[in-house]
Amino acid sequence: MAWDEASVAERARAFLAEHDPAAMDRLEFLRARFDAGLAWVHFPEGLGGLGAPRELQAVAERELKGTPDNRPGRIGIGLGMAAPTILAFGTEEQKKRFLRPLWTGEEVWCQLFSEPGAGSDLATLATRAVREGDEWVVDGQKVWTSSAHTARWAILVARTDPGVPKHRGLTYFVCDMHAPGVEVRPLRQITGEAEFNEVFLTGVRLPDALRLGEVGDGWRVAQTTLMNERVAIGGTPTRRTMMGVVAETWRSRPELRTHDLHQRLLKLWVDAEVMRLTAVRLREQLAAGHPGPEGSGMKLAFARLHQELSGLEVELLREDGLAYDDWTFRRPGTVDFVGREAGYRYLRAKGNSIEGGTSEILRNIIAERVLGLPSEPRTDKDVAWKDLPR
Amino acid sequence: MTLLYTEVEEELRAAVRDLLTDTCPPSAVLDRAGSAAAGGTPHDAGLWKALARDIGAAGLLIPEELGGAGASTREVAVVLEELGRAVAPVPFLGSAVLATQALLVAGGEVAGELLGRLAAGEATAALAVSFAASPYAPPAPVATLGEDGTVTGTVTGVIGAEAADVLLVPVRLAQGVGLCAVETSPTIQGSVEGAVRVTTVTSLDLTRPIATVEFASAPARIVARAEGLELPWVWEALARGAGLLASEQLGVAEWCLTTTVAYVKERRQFARPVGSFQAVKHRLADLWLEVVGARAAARNAAALLAEAPAAGPLGDEAAVAVAVAQAHCGAVAVHAAEECVQLHGGIGMTWEHPAHLYLKRAKADQIALGTPGDHRDALAGPADLPAPM
């Protein structure tokens, strides 16, 4: 059937009539919501969705407001990156096995992509996966892995053929984070806390049934994950925005205002408003079935805005800006770019132009894929990975 | 409300673009600018006639009962995008936007008669107010309406005056203020030879020069009058014009980006296209992002102005949209034109390449109808970001 606002709302109300969240276990409620197709309505039937247009998700959220949620802050990587990739490339068994506990939050996911020697140049990664019968044996080191210490599963890209050029010798796996040989160590950041981890993989044995996509097709599968990552980082509407937080500080501390800061703040307010309008227009284009290239720019704009606003706030605070709330080495359960205090916001925002594709790489992508400008001369494209200069 | 372009808007765009492609290539604009700099006519009368009358662009904002198209600021914005892209030397902004908006806000019999002539393409009007006036800082009128019903005074910085058959001039009255219509064409009854003198000033913007208009006992009709010193019709017209100017700035910026991208793909140095250097690519990626934002902001202003009442003050939402669009688009057009000159290298610095026409238009537009700083200041209230004590 063709779903519309009324029929999705009707379905959500019918679901609530039969499932009283006050009388049910939280997880039982979430599982039932998934089974009713109201988890992510744009997913297929039987996999938590209705096969409905993506924008109708807002209708489901509205109708189910106030009921237990899946704590999206804890499972962002699963929701934003693993799920779309599993949906696009997983077998039926994989989709059935992984998507439901992923969405309910019973199983947390993390992402094993970046390595100490493979950041922007992800395709040069060195973690090896060697086939032994029905299993793959994985050895290597991954880095910048948020949620690795809480994760049940990971999405993993590993090199399965060093004898071909780097983009072609990769394969995509689901990695069992409880498997022997997986070691997670916290990685302390400039904020003082450890939101990320290093993950050492030593002789980790993964059954071939955990492979996602074809052998050697890992780069293409990873592109799906990365595009979704940038959408997730650049496009998530959050309740508190950096502009809102800094504006609150401005309003509550009239004695700190200066003309210079006022001019800069108003300019950033305009930038924030232009970014909001760009996102509105982008969503309209998507809804009309004409996805525009604007999406590639949103994360770039978001990073710059966050950095400038958070930097302005610390400067505005003068003596209070000289203090920092807490350098304790902690492992936060969720990431909140606008959480804690001004100093933390300033330092954490520095990561916004690095994580999920640096701003420099995003500019290359815009220049080459949107504007059609030629790439830099490449010396690494047609050379077997094992023969690349290191 | 949508920030996308409707089918009707795309058809209008195609018609305007076809006309401009045929009759207004950069080489023609450059030739006219050169001759105008030497004292020739700055605007292209043939092009203006085709645009105003044949395409009907002059009457877009004018209601059908007065002979116009009864369209909205959304369609006007699309025309302005195309005119900006071509830096077309036509008095569209001055006549079909600023003067028309002032008459629509003023209303009444005289305004109705004038709007009918504008819609039919029989007359061109200009608002005799400095193009540098900010809608947030209304200066008092500089001309006076005498007891004999004639206007006297000098207004500077006016656009489109040399092409105008009718000048709309704010005046001081014995009591209060008013908006007067002064006929300039000797063939129209009511005009007096020599009573209006329009002197084109050597202008930064070659494709839309400013002029000084001197009224010496010029016969006039009163379009509207008000108590006190405020000129609501003028300031409402300037605010609406500022919001629509953003679309012209978008068009200017788009031409500069497109032309520069094409050039850096062709131009080779160090045995490769200069567009393959990241130092160049990253600048263009940033500029592209600014232009994407400019389109969203300009569309938002055009759409909210279309929903605002034809007369009376703009609501808060439309006023914010206008200020955001001007604060952003004014700077984007200038940045795009400056990048266009820079990334063209030596050729970008020559008179023979049209890049300078866009730079001059963009820089003049940045000052026009309020600077980006004026528009940002106006946002302090709506954004609840109060100035220092």
Side-chain angles (χ1 to χ4, degrees):
Chain A
M1 69 175 282
W3 291 94
D4 59 13
E5 185 168 346
S7 53
V8 170
E10 173 54 33
R11 181 159 185 123
R13 283 194 289 266
F15 168 74
L16 272 185
E18 285 177 26
H19 300 85
D20 177 5
M24 284 177 82
D25 171 65
R26 182 180 157 276
L27 271 178
E28 286 305 322
F29 178 81
L30 289 172
R31 288 180 192 137
R33 177 175 165 182
F34 185 93
D35 295 338
L38 294 165
W40 30 37
V41 299
H42 56 287
F43 271 51
E45 284 185 47
L47 295 173
L50 301 167
R54 184 187 282 259
E55 65 267 21
L56 293 178
Q57 181 65 25
V59 178
E61 296 297 337
R62 189 185 68 211
E63 293 295 330
L64 295 169
K65 199 165 187 252
T67 64
D69 71 15
N70 55 2
R71 297 175 190 153
R74 262 180 80 242
I75 56 171
I77 291 164
L79 294 174
M81 294 175 234
T85 313
I86 293 168
L87 183 67
F89 290 97
T91 61
E92 288 313 307
E93 294 74 41
Q94 288 169 334
K95 292 180 204 173
K96 284 274 177 219
R97 165 63 187 83
F98 291 124
L99 289 175
R100 191 173 184 248
L102 181 159
W103 185 82
T104 60
E106 287 163 82
E107 291 179 347
V108 174
W109 286 68
C110 66
Q111 181 196 23
L112 297 174
F113 277 29
S114 293
E115 298 181 3
S120 290
D121 185 11
L122 178 65
T124 199
L125 62 86
T127 293
R128 288 292 315 274
V130 178
R131 185 147 195 170
E132 283 187 13
D134 272 352
E135 287 185 321
W136 294 86
V137 182
V138 183
D139 285 278
Q141 183 190 348
K142 296 287 182 177
V143 75
W144 302 122
T145 316
S146 37
S147 308
H149 53 296
T150 55
R152 176 67 187 83
W153 301 103
I155 42 180
L156 164 72
V157 187
R159 184 157 309 279
T160 45
D161 186 354
V164 295
K166 61 183 182 179
H167 292 88
R168 282 188 252 148
L170 301 171
T171 303
Y172 200 115
F173 298 94
V174 170
C175 178
D176 181 351
M177 293 297 285
H178 291 176
V182 176
E183 188 198 347
V184 177
R185 294 185 204 159
L187 182 62
R188 197 176 188 190
Q189 298 150 240
I190 61 173
T191 54
E193 62 185 20
E195 196 185 297
F196 301 103
N197 300 278
E198 296 177 290
V199 178
F200 295 83
L201 304 165
T202 313
V204 178
R205 303 188 83 86
L206 301 176
D208 188 53
L210 287 180
R211 175 167 48 80
L212 211 56
E214 297 302 314
V215 174
D217 206 23
W219 183 249
R220 195 166 68 93
V221 182
Q223 289 306 307
T224 301
T225 309
L226 294 174
M227 285 319 290
N228 279 290
E229 178 177 29
R230 281 161 204 158
V231 170
I233 292 178
T236 318
T238 44
R239 265 162 249 137
R240 280 175 96 215
T241 62
M242 190 70 90
M243 186 67 237
V245 169
V246 179
E248 267 315 305
T249 307
W250 179 267
R251 287 168 200 143
S252 64
R253 305 289 300 272
E255 77 283 6
L256 296 175
R257 296 176 197 157
T258 68
H259 289 288
D260 164 59
L261 288 166
H262 191 230
Q263 290 301 313
R264 287 157 56 194
L265 185 59
L266 286 172
K267 182 164 188 317
L268 292 170
W269 191 87
V270 170
D271 290 347
E273 180 65 4
V274 169
M275 196 177 95
R276 184 187 71 78
L277 292 168
T278 305
V280 169
R281 192 164 190 277
L282 178 64
R283 282 198 292 277
E284 271 198 78
Q285 281 177 299
L286 285 172
H290 309 293
E294 281 86 345
S296 357
M298 290 306 289
K299 182 180 172 283
L300 195 55
F302 162 90
R304 190 185 64 79
L305 188 67
H306 263 207
Q307 293 175 348
E308 293 193 18
L309 277 168
S310 60
L312 185 139
E313 190 188 18
V314 173
E315 185 182 339
L316 165 72
L317 286 168
R318 290 189 186 247
E319 191 176 313
D320 289 351
L322 295 177
Y324 190 79
D325 62 346
D326 186 5
W327 291 118
T328 308
F329 183 10
R330 288 181 303 178
R331 307 184 62 143
T334 59
V335 183
D336 182 0
F337 293 156
V338 297
R340 289 177 53 177
E341 290 185 15
Y344 170 82
R345 285 192 279 276
Y346 170 68
L347 295 174
R348 183 60 187 82
K350 292 293 159 230
N352 292 160
S353 54
I354 301 170
E355 57 205 344
T358 66
S359 290
E360 287 69 29
I361 289 291
L362 292 178
R363 287 187 184 97
N364 282 350
I365 290 173
I366 291 168
E368 290 173 21
R369 300 197 196 152
V370 180
L371 300 177
L373 293 172
S375 60
E376 295 261 351
R378 295 280 293 267
T379 53
D380 59 347
K381 272 219 158 153
D382 298 314
V383 182
W385 177 82
K386 64 180 171 51
D387 299 327
L388 286 174
R390 296 203 161 72
Chain B
M1 180 180 133
T2 174
L3 299 182
L4 306 180
Y5 300 100
T6 65
E7 263 179 51
V8 174
E9 287 159 12
E10 289 294 8
E11 282 169 22
L12 176 62
R13 179 200 302 286
V16 176
R17 190 177 290 190
D18 285 349
L19 173 68
L20 293 170
T21 306
D22 291 346
T23 62
C24 188
S27 56
V29 182
L30 203 52
D31 287 347
R32 178 171 298 279
S35 72
T41 309
H43 68 273
D44 182 339
L47 173 62
W48 172 229
K49 193 176 157 196
L51 181 72
R53 211 179 281 188
D54 303 345
I55 292 183
L60 283 172
L61 285 176
I62 299 170
E64 286 176 25
E65 58 268 28
L66 294 174
S72 77
T73 46
R74 294 181 59 97
E75 289 80 9
V76 169
V78 169
V79 173
L80 281 166
E81 281 182 32
E82 292 306 310
L83 295 177
R85 194 194 294 268
V87 283
V90 287
F92 180 83
L93 184 71
S95 183
V97 180
L98 295 176
T100 298
Q101 289 281 17
L103 291 170
L104 286 168
V105 174
E109 204 174 313
V110 177
E113 184 260 324
L114 291 171
L115 286 166
R117 281 164 62 197
L118 296 183
E122 289 164 13
T124 301
L127 184 62
V129 173
S130 170
F131 197 37
S134 155
Y136 312 110
V142 291
T144 310
L145 183 69
E147 280 177 20
D148 60 352
T150 66
V151 171
T152 298
T154 300
V155 187
T156 56
V158 180
I159 59 160
E162 75 290 335
D165 306 293
V166 182
L167 290 161
L168 299 173
V169 55
V171 291
R172 282 193 303 271
L173 303 173
Q175 281 195 321
V177 291
L179 184 66
C180 279
V182 174
E183 303 282 346
T184 65
S185 168
T187 58
I188 300 268
Q189 205 184 352
S191 71
V192 170
E193 193 96 29
V196 180
R197 202 163 78 184
V198 175
T199 311
T200 305
V201 173
T202 302
S203 302
L204 175 66
D205 183 358
L206 293 164
T207 54
R208 187 160 58 206
I210 53 167
T212 297
V213 182
E214 294 165 87
F215 300 94
S217 300
R221 288 184 292 167
I222 295 183
V223 177
R225 59 193 332 158
E227 303 296 322
L229 288 171
E230 303 229 328
L231 300 146
W233 335 280
V234 173
W235 306 112
E236 289 304 323
L238 294 183
R240 287 164 166 82
L244 291 170
L245 181 63
S247 288
E248 180 183 294
Q249 288 160 331
L250 169 62
V252 168
E254 279 192 316
W255 184 91
C256 293
L257 175 63
T258 310
T259 303
T260 309
V261 166
Y263 180 74
V264 300
K265 284 180 192 173
E266 295 294 319
R267 170 74 175 170
R268 297 176 75 88
Q269 291 286 274
F270 305 100
R272 51 193 267 211
V274 295
S276 66
F277 288 97
Q278 291 194 7
V280 172
K281 284 157 97 163
H282 286 192
R283 290 169 74 143
L284 288 169
D286 285 335
L287 185 59
W288 171 83
L289 189 57
E290 288 181 33
V291 173
V292 165
R295 186 176 300 107
R299 279 276 91 190
N300 185 53
L304 285 170
L305 286 173
E307 290 177 3
L314 290 178
D316 285 348
E317 205 186 354
V320 167
V322 165
V324 166
Q326 261 308 298
H328 183 71
C329 299
V332 171
V334 170
H335 185 215
E338 288 175 350
E339 290 293 73
C340 183
V341 169
Q342 172 65 24
L343 296 176
H344 275 79
I347 187 76
M349 200 60 202
T350 64
W351 186 272
E352 71 172 283
H353 192 280
H356 66 105
L357 300 177
Y358 291 82
L359 178 66
K360 291 162 186 174
R361 171 65 68 85
K363 198 64 191 171
D365 275 3
Q366 187 187 34
I367 297 165
L369 308 175
T371 64
D374 295 337
H375 292 281
R376 281 195 289 271
D377 283 344
L379 287 166
D384 190 15
L385 296 172
M389 304 293 186

